[in-house]
């Protein structure tokens, strides 16, 4: 039986070097993405489980995208699928952000 291919975050049992924790300051928009992920995964809200969001983020992978870029796509798709926001609401929010000149 052939082993299933691993997702980018599935590195358990793989050889790895030391993890460097310095020199990686996050940008404000990345902090907001982390905050949104925390909110939608909070047990009191019951929107998504951490496993569900991890799977969605992994499946949103595209060549050359960062974790936070994939998380934005995954969040938008998840919120649309669950009916938390509409396509029009999302489009309006994206337009408002683009007018502010933020990524």
């Amino acid at each position: 039986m052939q082993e299933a291919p691993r997702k980018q975050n599935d590195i358990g049992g793989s050889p790895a070097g030391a993890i460097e924790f310095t020199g990686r300051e996050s940008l404000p928009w990345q902090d907001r993405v982390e905050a949104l992920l925390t909110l939608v995964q909070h047990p009191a809200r019951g929107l998504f489980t951490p496993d569900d969001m991890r799977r969605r983020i992994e499946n949103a992978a595209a060549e050359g995208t960062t974790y936070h870029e994939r998380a934005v796509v995954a969040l938008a798709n998840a919120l649309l699928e669950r009916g938390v926001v509409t396509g029009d609401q999302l489009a309006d929010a994206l337009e408002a952000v683009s007018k502010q000149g933020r990524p």
Side-chain angles (χ1 to χ4, degrees):
M1 180 176 214
Q2 186 176 6
E3 192 174 313
R6 291 178 177 222
K7 297 285 186 180
Q8 63 269 22
N9 292 336
D10 184 10
I11 59 172
S14 300
I19 298 173
E20 187 173 327
F21 291 103
T22 59
R24 295 187 92 183
E25 287 194 34
S26 60
L27 299 171
W29 75 270
Q30 294 169 325
D31 293 337
R32 287 191 287 274
V33 170
E34 290 295 332
L36 285 170
L37 286 171
T38 299
L39 287 172
V40 300
Q41 295 176 78
H42 192 278
R45 299 204 187 322
L47 289 174
F48 307 101
T49 65
D51 289 339
D52 183 36
M53 285 311 303
R54 185 186 67 245
R55 179 188 54 79
R56 289 174 180 276
I57 292 167
E58 288 175 348
N59 290 339
E63 189 69 30
T65 58
T66 67
Y67 169 81
H68 289 96
E69 290 167 338
R70 293 190 307 269
V72 167
V73 171
L75 274 167
N77 288 335
L79 294 172
L80 285 167
E81 286 174 16
R82 294 277 171 95
V84 176
V85 298
T86 65
D88 288 340
Q89 289 171 320
L90 184 59
D92 291 346
L94 289 171
E95 183 179 343
V97 168
S98 68
K99 286 181 180 178
Q100 294 174 7
R102 295 181 181 167

